Amino acid sequence: MSRRKKLYEGKAKILYEGPEPGTLVQYFKDDATAFNNQKHAILEGKGVLNNRISEFIMEHLNRMSVPTHFIRRLNMREQLIREVEIIPLEVVVRNVAAGSIAKRFGLEEGEALPRSIVEFYYKSDELGDPMVAEEHITAFNWATTQEIDDMIAMALRVNDIVSGLFAGAGIRLVDFKLEFGRLYDQNDMVRVVLADEISPDSCRLWDLESNEVMDKDRFRRDLGGVTEAYAEVARRLGIMKEAGQGNGMDEAAS
């Protein structure tokens, strides 16, 4: 498809004007970033892998009646999505102690949490995406109480579904980040839907048996083999027959 007007460029994706009103084209870049863009690299084929993995998960969620912005994949790097008004919050679901929660509470990394925990962070690179409480969210009018309840309920449902998907592939879903948006219909009715992506960029994924890291922590921690780990996730999910197929598929990207 011909390139359309660029509307927004983030650290890992670009949004373009869609072919029809109410749609956008989401393009997956090869950029890898960490620590609020203080660390940056280009990893060939990463965008292709994230596109395919996120497509696979979003399609499954759609089949399970979880409302998302995803419509269909267009090519190796692009998806057709519904245009939504992004709620300026990152919703993090944690199943296992890792990353910041382990540091904050002195937990041993890898320790199972008593139950899945949902946290909110205000989306602001300049402020370092600070953690916020529901009181902040409603006081600053980032979301209503009903929208908060909807996001929590949806995040926990996504956690149940996606945890099962990954467990079936021998992968533990340690934690993950979600974003949500407001979708308006022709009558100006609004509902909250899942937006952005679900991929190894936004999830912590460990091998169920060895606890080997299979996500962006390989980049954060200089472990190497980032795209190889992403390709292995795709292979285990049945998206690609061979772990090394990701870069080859890049030739078909447009």
Side-chain angles (χ1 to χ4, degrees):
M1 67 181 286
S2 61
R3 181 64 64 231
R4 294 176 179 270
K5 178 182 177 183
K6 183 194 292 188
L7 302 177
Y8 169 82
E9 181 166 2
K11 290 177 285 189
K13 293 183 293 296
I14 303 173
L15 294 179
Y16 294 98
E17 183 180 59
E20 299 173 358
T23 66
L24 300 173
V25 173
Q26 180 169 252
Y27 175 92
F28 287 75
K29 298 159 60 176
D30 282 342
D31 296 61
T33 63
F35 314 117
N36 286 319
N37 217 22
Q38 294 178 32
K39 183 177 182 181
H40 177 267
I42 303 295
L43 303 176
E44 184 181 355
K46 182 179 79 73
V48 175
L49 290 161
N50 280 345
N51 184 22
R52 295 301 303 276
I53 292 169
S54 191
E55 171 204 12
F56 177 83
I57 295 173
M58 290 289 190
E59 282 189 335
H60 186 71
L61 291 172
N62 283 340
R63 288 194 297 269
M64 299 296 288
S65 299
V66 176
T68 79
H69 72 164
F70 179 83
I71 300 174
R72 67 179 183 274
R73 179 170 60 85
L74 297 173
N75 53 51
M76 294 303 165
R77 287 189 180 271
E78 294 181 329
Q79 297 177 356
L80 183 66
I81 60 173
R82 296 176 180 86
E83 183 176 11
V84 299
E85 177 190 336
I86 291 292
I87 296 172
L89 298 167
E90 294 182 349
V91 182
V92 175
V93 183
R94 300 185 185 274
N95 301 309
V96 177
S100 64
I101 196 169
K103 296 175 183 176
R104 274 184 274 137
F105 298 111
L107 302 173
E108 182 178 350
E109 188 159 276
E111 178 182 338
L113 298 173
R115 61 177 176 81
S116 298
I117 295 174
V118 179
E119 298 174 339
F120 289 95
Y121 295 81
Y122 177 53
K123 280 175 57 67
S124 170
D125 287 343
E126 295 79 10
L127 299 176
D129 299 330
M131 187 176 179
V132 295
E134 292 185 25
E135 191 70 16
H136 300 109
I137 296 170
T138 55
F140 294 112
N141 202 31
W142 296 327
T144 66
T145 301
Q146 183 60 57
E147 287 173 335
I148 293 170
D149 290 344
D150 290 346
M151 287 187 286
I152 292 173
M154 213 179 306
L156 291 173
R157 177 157 168 71
V158 170
N159 184 45
D160 287 342
I161 295 169
V162 178
S163 289
L165 268 184
F166 282 124
I171 300 170
R172 176 179 289 110
L173 180 58
V174 174
D175 57 43
F176 62 103
K177 172 187 72 70
L178 298 175
E179 294 188 21
F180 293 91
R182 299 180 183 96
L183 179 63
Y184 295 86
D185 66 18
Q186 293 179 345
N187 299 315
D188 284 337
M189 296 294 289
V190 60
R191 61 173 175 156
V192 173
V193 303
L194 182 64
D196 196 41
E197 67 176 296
I198 299 179
S199 74
D201 265 11
S202 60
C203 302
R204 274 196 175 90
L205 304 171
W206 295 353
D207 180 86
L208 265 176
E209 294 185 2
S210 67
N211 283 337
E212 180 184 2
V213 174
M214 306 177 72
D215 56 74
K216 199 168 79 168
D217 271 350
R218 299 199 69 87
F219 176 69
R220 293 187 186 98
R221 301 179 180 182
D222 296 317
L223 299 176
V226 180
T227 54
E228 290 83 359
Y230 286 29
E232 176 63 11
V233 171
R235 186 193 68 79
R236 292 195 192 185
L237 290 173
I239 300 168
M240 298 177 186
K241 294 180 180 179
E242 298 180 5
Q245 198 172 345
N247 289 346
M249 292 176 62
D250 199 28
E251 297 300 322
S254 61

